[in-house]
Structures are given as structure tokens and as C-alpha cells.
Amino acid sequence: MNARDGARLAQQRADSRQNTACFVHQLLERQRKARKGVTLNHITEDNKVQDKLDDQAKLTDDHESTTHSRLLTKRQLSEMAWGVRELSKKLGSIRLKLKVKTVFLLTKAHDETLIGYTREVADWLLSNDRQVRYTVYVEQTLENNRRFDAKGLLAQDSSREGRLKYWTNELCAKRPQTFDFVVTVCFLTKFDYENFPDTLTTSFRDGVTVSLRLRFEGTVMRTQRRDGQKEGRDLVEELIGEEGEDSRTHAPDGSFEILNDIVVDRGPNPTMSAIEVFGDDEHFTTVQADGVCVATPTGSTAYNLAAGGSLCHPENPVILVTAICAHTLSFRPIILPDTIVLRVGVPYDARTSSWASFDGRERVELHPGDYVTISASRYPFANVMPHGRRSEDWVSSISRTLQWNSRQRQKSYQEWSDE
């Protein structure tokens, strides 16, 4: 393959990655292209800053360059974060009218009450009373669920045949463009269930107001073992110092998109974890604790709150770092800007390995020398907001569910009567 063929192939790959069915992600891609002087392409694992590239260098690791935010420079991360915030403000003041034909229903498949609610929503969407013949996707585990009674739903009307389908994790990962609109039952719910017919009718007919929430991109980095170099290695020196092309110390081993939090903890080990925390090119601290929770503003009300972290409005562009049962009196939760790339790792001299979990679902063992990079994702989470109730909705939510600042009101002083 010559340089010209390689350049054409690389451009075709880049173009195919830029094609996305998500309306918000399309806007972000157009925004990046329109911004002058900012290039997010051609950042490689070996060299994060490449101001001058020749034609041959443009072919190196193009897939990694346009996918992973951890490879971006400080300036590029700042430009990316600024672009997301700018778009979020614009989307918060307008209504988006979407052509919805395929609806994705997400619920807790182990909760019988929520399964009943999900059936009612599916029944409403499949009804002939709707002006649009919606196709409804529910979790595959509900196909034979007695409470959901899929056969009973289809038996009500022959027109429903073929319009009730089932999604799997594999389908969501490989073909997310299949779904036009996602309706959650219980997850991030901002609307009263009793009013769901009016809410969905208004959303489909008049449009929706969208808010963008910060997501993390987490990547597991595995230490590269070499003969004669297993002893005496220092994780701080390896991550702070620059790596050469022939002496790379770590390699990526899987990436995750995170909405709530990334937790690195001791796992099944009886002793506490030793964890190194890095920010950009600085070593922040060494944590002796049960673990460390790195949360998004959306996840600030979950594990982060239980560990003593701060509550944070979901529109704040920040990263929350909280220790879990720290073995010190001086560690306090910290809040960092979303332009920082965090690295949380296990030192080589740690007594035991640690475990990393991503949104409480994936569980990965981190051996001594391994670490996790955490950075703001280039693709935020778009969710529908009640029109004109952005901040009020969040405050009422934490007051209702967490009883935030709930106490008996203090009585006022009353003057003594002379009588």
C-alpha cells in the first residue's frame, strides 16, 4: 500500500466513524469541524502532541485518535468541553422536533411493579389510537415474562404483529441507530408516570428540550512485562516521565463509557488498597483506603454521596473524587475541572491487586502496575428535560428522594404579654 492509498483508506475510516444516528453527536461533529485552528485527529498513544504531521504520520493510529479523549492535549480537552457546554446552553432554550418511529423502553427487569408499568407504556405505544405505528423494543428477558405477557399484548390486535421487538446488549452496542427515542421507567425519571400519555404525546408532537450530561471515558491500561524489569519499577516515574516508542510501559485493554462513576476498590481482598492518583502530568497523592470513587455530577448522588462526597448539579462540568473509608484524618473529597485526565493506578509494590468497576456493571481486576484513565467523554449523555424546569427539577428531586436539608422549622420568638 502506497501513501496515497493509505491516506484514502484512513479518510474513509474517519468518515465512517463520523456518521452517527444521534442528533446531538452530529451537532458536536459539525461544531468541531467548524471550529478553526482546532484538530482532534491524529493523536497517537505514543505522542499526544503532534503540531506538524506529514502525510505518512497521518496514517498512524487514526482509530484511537478520533475515539479516545484521553489522548487529547489540554487545549483540545478545553475546546471540547467548551463546545459541549455551548451546545448544551443552546439546546436548553429550544425544542427539538424528532421523527420518532422506533421507541426503546428501558426498565429494571427484576422489579415486577416496573415491569407492569413497562407493559402499560408498550400497550399505549402499540395501540391503534396512535397516529404513528410505533415499533417498540423491550429487554429480551421480558419476552417470556409472565408479568409482561408479551403474547397477550400481541393478541389484542393483529396490527401489533412484528412491532414488538426485543433488544440485547449486543444490539445496543453494534446498532444503536436502530432506536429513535429512549423511554426509561425509573432510571433518571423526571416525569410523573401517571401523566405518561400526555408527556409522550406532547414530546412527539411539539418536540423536546434536551440537556447534555457529562460522561466519562474510562480505559484500562495494562502494564507491559519485560524480562529483567519486573522488579524495582515505579508507577509514578513511568506515568510522569515520557515514554519512548521502543519503551512503552503500558497498553490499553478496553474502554467504557460511564454516566455515573468509576470505582477502584480493594474487591475481595481483606486489606485496604494502595492507590496512586494522577492528574494530567502530575502525581496528586497516594491513597490508603478501601477505594476511590470518581463520579460525574450525575453520579454524585450515588456511591459518591454514600462515601461522603458532595452533591453536585448535573450541569456542572466537574469531576468528583472521593476516598472510600480513607485510613487518614486529612483526606477530603475534591472537585476537579472536566479538562483534567485522571489516572488511578495500583503501585508495583502494592500488597494486593485492586478492582475497577464502571457504573457498577463491569468488574475488572487491576494488578500491580495497572491503572485506569478517566477523562470527559467526547459524547455527552443527552436526556429530555421538563420544559422550563431545569434547576427546579433537580432540587426537588434530591429533596424528595434524599430528604435534603429536611428538618423542623425553628419557631420565631414571641413577646411576653403584660397580662
Side-chain angles (χ1 to χ4, degrees):
M1 178 185 295
N2 56 35
R4 181 177 300 177
D5 293 336
R8 183 169 58 253
L9 178 60
Q11 183 62 40
Q12 290 175 354
R13 291 175 178 173
D15 293 340
S16 64
R17 284 191 300 275
Q18 292 169 357
N19 293 330
T20 170
C22 179
F23 175 75
V24 173
H25 294 173
Q26 288 179 348
L27 293 179
L28 287 172
E29 290 294 345
R30 294 175 186 174
Q31 190 179 60
R32 294 186 187 109
K33 291 179 180 179
R35 193 179 301 125
K36 296 181 180 180
V38 178
T39 302
L40 299 184
N41 295 328
H42 315 310
I43 313 294
T44 67
E45 199 77 56
D46 298 320
N47 185 5
K48 294 183 180 180
V49 182
Q50 295 184 11
D51 294 328
K52 296 181 180 180
L53 298 173
D54 55 16
D55 294 338
Q56 186 64 30
K58 290 181 180 179
L59 303 179
T60 61
D61 206 4
D62 186 71
H63 177 71
E64 290 285 339
S65 69
T66 57
T67 303
H68 300 298
S69 60
R70 73 177 188 276
L71 304 176
L72 305 181
T73 65
K74 189 72 174 180
R75 177 187 174 187
Q76 291 166 334
L77 274 174
S78 299
E79 293 284 353
M80 179 196 73
W82 178 84
V84 171
R85 289 194 284 271
E86 183 184 37
L87 179 60
S88 182
K89 291 179 181 178
K90 293 180 180 179
L91 292 177
S93 60
I94 62 176
R95 281 182 175 266
L96 300 177
K97 291 188 177 181
L98 307 175
K99 295 181 180 180
V100 178
K101 293 184 179 180
T102 304
V103 180
F104 178 103
L105 295 186
L106 178 63
T107 189
K108 293 181 179 179
H110 59 272
D111 191 318
E112 290 190 1
T113 302
L114 295 180
I115 292 176
Y117 292 161
T118 304
R119 188 184 191 279
E120 291 180 8
V121 176
D123 184 34
W124 184 86
L125 289 169
L126 293 171
S127 173
N128 281 333
D129 296 336
R130 309 286 81 78
Q131 295 181 356
V132 178
R133 293 170 61 88
Y134 296 110
T135 299
V136 180
Y137 278 84
V138 298
E139 191 172 349
Q140 191 174 35
T141 55
L142 299 180
E143 183 175 5
N144 299 316
N145 186 281
R146 294 182 179 180
R147 176 74 172 176
F148 186 74
D149 189 17
K151 294 182 179 179
L153 275 178
L154 297 177
Q156 294 183 24
D157 195 323
S158 59
S159 65
R160 299 186 178 190
E161 193 70 31
R163 293 168 53 204
L164 179 62
K165 300 183 179 182
Y166 305 94
W167 59 264
T168 61
N169 291 334
E170 184 179 3
L171 175 63
C172 296
K174 293 184 177 181
R175 300 188 61 188
Q177 69 275 13
T178 303
F179 319 111
D180 298 329
F181 200 82
V182 178
V183 176
T184 64
V185 181
C186 184
F187 293 96
L188 294 175
T189 303
K190 306 178 184 64
F191 304 90
D192 294 332
Y193 172 77
E194 292 77 9
N195 301 326
F196 85 83
D198 294 335
T199 300
L200 292 179
T201 299
T202 303
S203 299
F204 295 157
R205 183 190 63 212
D206 302 333
V208 295
T209 301
V210 174
S211 172
L212 301 184
R213 294 195 176 192
L214 171 68
R215 287 199 298 183
F216 287 156
E217 176 192 285
T219 302
V220 177
M221 303 294 290
R222 299 293 186 185
T223 182
Q224 300 298 290
R225 305 291 182 179
R226 289 187 175 86
D227 295 337
Q229 294 186 1
K230 295 183 180 180
E231 301 294 336
R233 297 176 65 176
D234 190 326
L235 185 64
V236 176
E237 292 183 358
E238 291 182 352
L239 296 191
I240 297 301
E242 295 185 359
E243 300 176 341
E245 293 184 2
D246 58 345
S247 61
R248 182 182 296 180
T249 60
H250 294 80
D253 183 31
S255 295
F256 306 88
E257 292 289 330
I258 310 302
L259 179 61
N260 292 309
D261 52 44
I262 297 176
V263 176
V264 178
D265 57 38
R266 67 180 187 175
N269 299 317
T271 60
M272 61 184 176
S273 296
I275 301 172
E276 304 284 4
V277 180
F278 303 82
D280 290 337
D281 294 326
E282 297 182 21
H283 177 237
F284 279 2
T285 187
T286 301
V287 181
Q288 303 274 358
D290 278 355
V292 173
C293 176
V294 182
T296 66
T298 299
S300 67
T301 56
Y303 201 166
N304 169 78
L305 176 64
S310 301
L311 288 173
C312 185
H313 193 282
E315 293 187 13
N316 281 330
V318 295
I319 300 173
L320 298 94
V321 181
T322 305
I324 304 170
C325 298
H327 196 252
T328 176
L329 298 176
S330 59
F331 193 100
R332 291 293 180 268
I334 57 176
I335 300 176
L336 303 171
D338 62 349
T339 55
I340 284 183
V341 177
L342 286 178
R343 287 176 286 182
V344 181
V346 183
Y348 285 101
D349 59 354
R351 292 183 177 181
T352 60
S353 60
S354 294
W355 292 76
S357 61
F358 304 87
D359 269 348
R361 297 178 64 87
E362 302 291 339
R363 192 79 166 155
V364 178
E365 185 175 7
L366 300 179
H367 301 282
D370 298 340
Y371 67 91
V372 177
T373 65
I374 305 169
S375 57
S377 173
R378 294 177 62 185
Y379 302 106
F381 178 78
N383 67 111
V384 176
M385 298 290 294
H387 190 64
R389 291 171 47 200
R390 296 170 72 88
S391 297
E392 296 86 347
D393 178 73
W394 183 76
V395 173
S396 63
S397 175
I398 62 174
S399 299
R400 182 180 66 255
T401 59
L402 300 175
Q403 300 298 310
W404 173 69
N405 197 32
S406 177
R407 71 179 300 273
Q408 185 177 2
R409 188 178 182 87
Q410 208 171 30
K411 295 181 179 180
S412 62
Y413 289 118
Q414 295 182 0
E415 295 183 2
W416 287 92
S417 175
D418 294 336
E419 298 180 358

